[in-house]
Amino acid sequence: MPRATTERFSRAHQPTAKKSEAKSSNSMTNPIFNTARFGQHILKNPATAQKIVDAANLKPTDKVLEVGPGTGNLTVKILEKAKHVTAVEMDPRMAAEVIKRVQGTPEQHKLEVMIGDAIKVDFPYFEVCISNTPYQISSPLTFRLLSHRPLFRVAILMFQREFAMRLTAKPGTALWSRLSANVQLYSKVDNIINVARNDFRPPPKVESSVIRLVPIDPPPPVKFEEFDGLNRIIFSRPNKTVRGNFQAQGVMKMLDQNRRTWLAAQEMMAEDTPISTIVDKVLEEVGVTESRAAKMDVDDLLK
């Protein structure tokens, strides 16, 4: 029968609800499983499930990672096309339901279920990831996948529509953001399916979209922490000039402290040149002093 791996149970992504909120959400809870507890909405429309699986262009040799299988509506369709599926599910009752659905079928030996938090468990090797993602882990899961090695071929991910639109946003649009730039540094991402609320049980309060994420191979030789640190500064006020954001209160002091720490680690003496002068010189050399993050693409940010 399919194998279930038990990981440490975690409530790290479980929202804390007030009593009044919990009471009002009862009508939105799956009558069989307490899906609201984990922020899950079960995809019930088989046509939509088939579109998601088809979008992955699965091969008979593929090993697939599925995050948040729920009751297995996507899982059974993936198993029809893939060599092996590892499903990561936080709710033990749902994990049992997924296993139960394939017992006695040819696919039962192709499925492994891991019970645990998808942000914390050790992922096995996989070529494709498919996920009806619990919305509260959308960002952590996206960056966990982008940092995963070896690189996978493609991820087909269901997100809240606004989050999906931010991932795929282009420079100069209202939704272009630090998130957009960070994700697009490491991947090609596009929106492929819009999913109606009534395709889920219980229906979420927001619309959903499915995106295709393809990692850039080889990944750019850029430290994510440094790239994100830059974006954290210049996207704090994206319509302000880059120089203006660097002059914001506290930024120069932080940069000066970072410089002194780095110099000390290299056993080098600190320069007498003020950090503001160094920053201005660098921004001028790369020609972005008067640029604005709202209109800068990834290549501009890498200068």
Side-chain angles (χ1 to χ4, degrees):
M1 65 180 288
R3 189 154 55 98
T5 305
T6 302
E7 298 286 348
R8 183 170 63 87
F9 193 87
S10 171
R11 299 183 181 179
H13 304 293
Q14 178 184 343
T16 301
K18 297 178 181 178
K19 290 183 178 180
S20 59
E21 293 173 340
K23 184 177 180 180
S24 63
S25 66
N26 286 343
S27 60
M28 299 294 290
T29 302
N30 186 298
I32 302 175
F33 302 104
N34 187 10
T35 54
R37 182 182 179 191
F38 300 106
Q40 289 176 296
H41 299 271
I42 305 302
L43 181 64
K44 68 178 184 179
N45 187 328
T48 300
Q50 191 62 57
K51 287 179 183 178
I52 292 172
V53 175
D54 290 345
N57 292 318
L58 293 174
K59 303 175 183 178
T61 56
D62 278 339
K63 294 183 178 181
V64 178
L65 173 71
E66 185 186 9
V67 176
T71 56
N73 293 339
L74 273 173
T75 314
V76 293
K77 294 183 181 297
I78 300 170
L79 286 167
E80 292 173 359
K81 296 190 174 186
K83 179 180 180 180
H84 185 269
V85 175
T86 299
V88 181
E89 174 55 57
M90 201 165 182
D91 188 334
R93 296 168 303 168
M94 286 195 182
E97 179 68 13
V98 175
I99 292 172
K100 181 180 177 181
R101 286 190 67 168
V102 299
Q103 281 184 349
T105 71
E107 284 75 31
Q108 66 177 7
H109 299 296
K110 297 163 61 177
L111 174 66
E112 176 182 1
V113 176
M114 298 178 68
I115 302 173
D117 186 339
I119 307 304
K120 298 179 180 180
V121 300
D122 293 329
F123 287 160
Y125 172 81
F126 64 95
E127 285 120 344
V128 177
C129 177
I130 298 176
S131 175
N132 175 17
T133 312
Y135 291 154
Q136 67 265 39
I137 65 166
S138 296
S139 186
L141 177 63
T142 299
F143 287 103
R144 168 124 202 241
L145 290 173
L146 288 174
S147 64
H148 182 78
R149 298 294 181 272
L151 292 175
F152 52 92
R153 187 173 75 247
V154 64
I156 307 297
L157 309 171
M158 177 102 70
F159 291 131
Q160 179 179 336
R161 185 165 300 168
E162 182 182 351
F163 183 83
M165 290 174 67
R166 288 170 61 204
L167 292 183
T168 60
K170 301 302 179 186
T173 63
L175 291 176
W176 176 249
S177 63
R178 172 183 159 209
L179 173 67
S180 316
N182 285 347
V183 170
Q184 293 177 35
L185 171 67
Y186 292 101
S187 66
K188 182 180 182 299
V189 57
D190 57 299
N191 183 74
I192 54 176
I193 305 169
N194 289 330
V195 184
R197 281 178 274 189
N198 289 335
D199 282 1
F200 299 92
R201 185 183 67 249
K205 296 180 180 179
V206 296
E207 301 291 343
S208 302
S209 290
V210 179
I211 62 108
R212 178 191 291 113
L213 185 148
V214 179
I216 293 174
D217 188 9
V222 178
K223 289 185 178 180
F224 174 76
E225 294 80 5
E226 294 179 0
F227 187 74
D228 182 53
L230 167 67
N231 288 337
R232 190 184 295 271
I233 294 171
I234 66 175
F235 276 100
S236 61
R237 293 174 293 179
N239 290 307
K240 194 175 181 66
T241 65
V242 170
R243 185 173 185 271
N245 277 316
F246 272 97
Q247 290 179 328
Q249 184 177 5
V251 173
M252 288 298 178
K253 181 179 180 180
M254 174 193 69
L255 292 176
D256 190 50
Q257 290 175 339
N258 290 346
R259 178 183 64 150
R260 292 179 183 278
T261 300
W262 184 85
L263 289 171
Q266 305 300 315
E267 298 183 346
M268 298 170 61
M269 292 292 293
E271 303 175 26
D272 293 331
T273 309
I275 188 66
S276 58
T277 302
I278 296 174
V279 169
D280 284 345
K281 181 181 178 181
V282 171
L283 295 179
E284 189 173 322
E285 286 177 351
V286 298
V288 298
T289 302
E290 298 301 316
S291 298
R292 289 166 168 77
K295 296 184 178 180
M296 296 173 70
D297 61 21
V298 170
D299 290 335
D300 294 329
L301 296 169
L302 287 172
K303 286 182 179 179

